[in-house]
Amino acid sequence: MKKLSSLLVVFILALSAVHAQELRCNVSVSASKIQGVNRNVFRTMQADLYEFMNNRKWTDHVYDIDERIECNIFIQLDEMISSDEFKGSMTVQLRRPVFNSTYETTLLNIKDKEFRVRYEEFQPMDFNITSNRDNLTNIMAFYAYIIIGMDYDSFAPEGGTEYFQKAQQIVNNSQSSIYAGWKAYESERNRYWLAENLLNRSYSGFRQCIYRYHRLGLDLMSDKLEDGRSEIAESLRLLQRVYRNRPNIYLFPIFFDAKADELVNIFSGSYTSEKDRVLSILNEIDPSNGSKYEKIKQDNTFNLDNE
């Protein structure tokens, strides 16, 4: 009987090792600007947030270890408001592997400047999607769902809808929060507008672009370089249509903060007529990076295994 029990424990441990959680999230907390406080609290916060993001089950799907979604969260704490309240910013980055290559493409690179939270060392980090209990876990869970939704969108048309809806539910629950970042009137670029834009049918071309750019474009380029690049060029037309209706939505800086350099690398190896078409679109919908896009005119081969 003891031997059977031991074998059962080994089986359960092996099974849990094979079926991993969804995220492989690197979490970093920096508080170099805050002086005169025990630094252990920041190390404990980092460890707690790492466990919260990586050890929680965010979906009903089964993941293998090598399928986990690669992401980074960097928290910069600038001010200590009280013994357990901190203010700063949070940067969220999401990477996605490209099929049949060693290249990883950036899907998200967002800086959230409205990061004001309470954290008490050694207290459990509770989260409930149906209530507004804690701003810190609400923010972390919100971006966990945004990360998963964006990753799913890049593999299937509007595949991330369920997770964007969960992110929006957190926004809705936070409308009575005393903390900024959750309400429409506070800013045009915050968590409220990120969830709203992603689920707004008027901007569905953005999500169509995410799928076409990655699944039909980048994932094809290792085998059919020109075909994949052509799909990426066509995906930009979808963004262009959205831009002509609503040029100032939050989705555009989010996309180009992640993709501007990559687009230069992809299309600098293209032929002249395609370069001209892409440059015309990019200069219209992302004029702030116009000088960067001039590099597309140069000739440079995009190699998925050496980027």
Side-chain angles (χ1 to χ4, degrees), residues 134-228:
D134 174 65
N135 200 49
L136 176 56
T137 54
N138 281 348
I139 292 173
M140 301 301 289
F142 172 85
Y143 281 112
Y145 287 126
I146 293 293
I147 286 168
I148 293 168
M150 286 293 291
D151 186 73
Y152 279 36
D153 261 16
S154 76
F155 285 102
E158 299 191 357
T161 298
E162 175 185 352
Y163 307 103
F164 295 147
Q165 289 172 340
K166 289 179 183 294
Q168 190 173 59
Q169 186 175 350
I170 297 171
V171 171
N172 293 339
N173 293 340
S174 299
Q175 290 307 292
S176 61
S177 174
I178 63 172
Y179 296 107
W182 301 109
K183 302 176 186 69
Y185 63 82
E186 294 171 337
S187 169
E188 293 182 347
R189 297 183 179 184
N190 63 9
R191 286 166 236 131
Y192 175 93
W193 289 111
L194 177 53
E196 192 279 340
N197 285 182
L198 286 167
L199 290 170
N200 191 321
R201 297 304 303 170
S202 298
Y203 316 142
S204 61
F206 174 85
R207 295 179 62 190
Q208 294 169 23
C209 169
I210 293 298
Y211 170 71
R212 191 165 186 175
Y213 184 110
H214 295 91
R215 192 70 188 98
L216 305 182
L218 280 178
D219 282 348
L220 189 66
M221 289 182 70
S222 62
D223 294 326
K224 298 179 179 179
L225 178 64
E226 292 188 1
D227 290 349

Side-chain angles (χ1 to χ4, degrees), residues 74-296:
F74 175 72
I75 296 170
Q76 175 67 54
L77 299 177
D78 298 323
E79 187 177 353
M80 188 172 181
I81 309 297
S82 65
S83 61
D84 66 348
E85 188 173 10
F86 306 90
K87 184 178 181 180
S89 62
M90 182 168 120
T91 300
V92 180
Q93 298 173 330
L94 165 62
R95 299 187 306 276
R96 174 201 189 278
V98 172
F99 179 72
N100 202 25
S101 78
T102 59
Y103 182 66
E104 291 188 338
T105 182
T106 300
L107 267 168
L108 281 178
N109 186 20
I110 300 176
K111 186 170 184 178
D112 188 325
K113 297 180 181 179
E114 299 291 352
F115 189 83
R116 182 167 175 171
V117 299
R118 290 188 179 276
Y119 172 78
E120 189 172 348
E121 195 173 14
F122 306 124
Q123 292 299 307
M125 299 193 71
D126 294 325
F127 170 72
N128 188 329
I129 197 169
T130 63
S131 65
N132 174 34
R133 294 184 178 181
D134 174 65
N135 200 49
L136 176 56
T137 54
N138 281 348
I139 292 173
M140 301 301 289
F142 172 85
Y143 281 112
Y145 287 126
I146 293 293
I147 286 168
I148 293 168
M150 286 293 291
D151 186 73
Y152 279 36
D153 261 16
S154 76
F155 285 102
E158 299 191 357
T161 298
E162 175 185 352
Y163 307 103
F164 295 147
Q165 289 172 340
K166 289 179 183 294
Q168 190 173 59
Q169 186 175 350
I170 297 171
V171 171
N172 293 339
N173 293 340
S174 299
Q175 290 307 292
S176 61
S177 174
I178 63 172
Y179 296 107
W182 301 109
K183 302 176 186 69
Y185 63 82
E186 294 171 337
S187 169
E188 293 182 347
R189 297 183 179 184
N190 63 9
R191 286 166 236 131
Y192 175 93
W193 289 111
L194 177 53
E196 192 279 340
N197 285 182
L198 286 167
L199 290 170
N200 191 321
R201 297 304 303 170
S202 298
Y203 316 142
S204 61
F206 174 85
R207 295 179 62 190
Q208 294 169 23
C209 169
I210 293 298
Y211 170 71
R212 191 165 186 175
Y213 184 110
H214 295 91
R215 192 70 188 98
L216 305 182
L218 280 178
D219 282 348
L220 189 66
M221 289 182 70
S222 62
D223 294 326
K224 298 179 179 179
L225 178 64
E226 292 188 1
D227 290 349
R229 192 171 58 210
S230 177
E231 285 290 340
I232 293 172
E234 289 302 310
S235 76
L236 296 177
R237 292 186 185 275
L238 297 170
L239 285 187
Q240 186 181 40
R241 294 187 194 120
V242 177
Y243 180 87
R244 287 177 174 176
N245 289 322
R246 285 296 302 274
N248 297 318
I249 60 172
Y250 189 21
L251 296 178
F252 286 110
I254 286 174
F255 181 85
F256 289 111
D257 283 349
K259 294 300 185 184
D261 290 330
E262 182 174 81
L263 286 165
V264 171
N265 291 334
I266 289 172
F267 288 103
S268 60
S270 183
Y271 48 89
T272 302
S273 61
E274 187 172 66
K275 286 184 178 185
D276 290 342
R277 289 200 309 273
V278 167
L279 271 171
S280 177
I281 295 172
L282 292 177
N283 285 329
E284 176 185 349
I285 65 179
D286 187 29
S288 63
N289 280 315
S291 59
K292 181 178 291 185
Y293 295 136
E294 285 297 304
K295 297 177 184 177
I296 289 176

